[in-house]
Amino acid sequence: MKGFRTAALAAVLTVCSSFAQGQTLSDLISAFSGEWYSFDRVRAQSGGVCEIDVTTETLGNVFVARSKSCGAGLDLLGAWGIADGQIVLLTEDQRTLGVLGGNQTRMTGDDLASGRSLILERRQPSGFVITLQQAIRNQSCLYVGYTADCSDKTDVAQLLAAKADATVPLTTAARLNLRNQPRRDAPVALVLDRLTQVSAFECLTASDGIWCKVDVDGTVGWLARNGLRQQKWAVTTFELATEGPVLEVQP
C-alpha cells in the first residue's frame, strides 16, 4: 500500500497536462467542483453512466467526493484535492486514485487504481459536441474521412477491446492531429497523414465519440475518431486497418 501511494504521489508531480496558470486554489475549487461524468463503458455499472460529485465539503485538508454507478476503481472514490494545479481523486483515507488536468468541461489523465486512462466531462456538452451530435442524428451514416463511404458500426466493439497485449490496427482516413491527451484543446504532438497505419492499445468512449491511444514511432498520443467535415458532416477520421495493401481513396 505504501508503495502504491508513493508512486501515485510521484505521478501527481510529473503529469504534463495542467490547468491555466495564475488560478488561485479558491478559483480551482470553484471552477472544478460539481458533477462530472465518465461515458467509458468499462466504468459504467448497471447500464448507466458513471457519475462523480466533486464537492466543496471539507474532509481534513481535502474535500469530499462521491461516485454513483461507477466501477474500475472509481467506486472507491471518497475525496479529492489539488496538487500542483492538478485535480487528484482520492479514496476516503487519501490514497490516490487518479490525476487529472484539463478545462472546466473536460478533465483527462490517468486512473492509477485501474491502470486505465480517464475522461471526465460535464453533463452539458460543448458547442462542438452539440454540433457533432446533431450532424450524426441528421445523417444516415458516419462518412469515412472525405469519402462518401459509410463507416462500419460494428467496428466500435473491436476498437473498445484494444489493450496493450491485444492492439487494434488502424488506418487514418484524413490528415489527423495526434494529441497528448484525449481533449480537443490538448497540445498536438504530431500530425499524421491520411492512410497512416498505427496500432491502438487503448480506446475510450466520450461525449464526442471514441478516442484511441496509439504509439507513433515512440510518440504516444490520442486520436479522436469523430470529426466534422466543412463544419457540417460528421465523419470518422480512422478505420480498422484492412488486410493487404492500403489503396488510395480519392476525396
Side-chain angles (χ1 to χ4, degrees):
M1 188 69 71
K2 182 179 179 181
F4 173 78
R5 182 179 296 191
T6 301
L9 291 176
V12 172
L13 301 177
T14 57
V15 174
C16 295
S17 177
S18 62
F19 296 105
Q21 297 298 314
Q23 289 181 301
T24 67
L25 179 61
S26 178
D27 290 336
L28 289 174
I29 293 170
S30 176
F32 292 95
S33 60
E35 295 180 347
W36 293 86
Y37 300 85
S38 169
F39 299 101
D40 183 6
R41 299 180 185 180
V42 173
R43 298 184 188 281
Q45 292 186 333
S46 304
V49 174
C50 172
E51 303 178 26
I52 290 177
D53 185 12
V54 176
T55 79
T56 57
E57 179 184 344
T58 57
L59 180 66
N61 62 343
V62 293
F63 304 93
V64 173
R66 303 179 181 90
S67 65
K68 178 182 177 182
S69 301
C70 298
L74 288 184
D75 51 316
L76 302 175
L77 181 68
W80 73 286
I82 298 172
D84 291 347
Q86 304 277 300
I87 299 298
V88 186
L89 302 181
L90 305 159
T91 62
E92 191 169 343
D93 60 353
Q94 298 190 28
R95 288 181 294 114
T96 303
L97 294 174
V99 183
L100 303 169
N103 55 56
Q104 294 178 36
T105 59
R106 178 176 290 195
M107 298 192 292
T108 61
D110 297 318
D111 178 344
L112 304 176
S114 68
R116 289 178 62 81
S117 300
L118 176 61
I119 301 173
L120 292 181
E121 305 177 70
R122 297 293 195 184
R123 173 64 79 178
Q124 180 61 38
S126 67
F128 173 84
V129 172
I130 292 173
T131 302
L132 177 65
Q133 291 175 345
Q134 287 176 340
I136 292 173
R137 286 194 294 267
N138 292 337
Q139 294 173 200
S140 59
C141 73
L142 276 173
Y143 297 113
V144 178
Y146 288 92
T147 73
D149 299 326
C150 293
S151 178
D152 188 346
K153 294 181 180 179
T154 62
D155 288 355
V156 171
Q158 190 169 341
L159 289 172
L160 295 179
K163 52 186 178 179
D165 59 353
T167 60
V168 176
L170 310 175
T171 301
T172 59
R175 190 170 170 83
L176 186 58
N177 290 327
L178 178 74
R179 298 186 181 275
N180 67 10
Q181 287 289 324
R183 303 191 313 270
R184 295 181 189 266
D185 66 343
V188 176
L190 291 174
V191 179
L192 306 184
D193 290 330
R194 187 164 60 94
L195 302 182
T196 298
Q197 293 193 326
V198 296
S199 291
F201 55 90
E202 183 180 19
C203 293
L204 302 178
T205 304
S207 62
D208 57 347
I210 293 173
W211 287 77
C212 287
K213 194 174 188 179
V214 303
D215 186 333
V216 183
D217 297 328
T219 300
V220 177
W222 291 86
L223 300 175
R225 192 181 191 220
N226 289 346
L228 284 171
R229 189 169 75 198
Q230 298 176 339
Q231 300 301 309
K232 180 178 181 181
W233 307 105
V235 302
T236 59
T237 60
F238 59 80
E239 293 289 300
L240 293 179
T242 57
E243 296 182 1
V246 177
L247 301 178
E248 181 77 15
V249 179
Q250 296 299 321

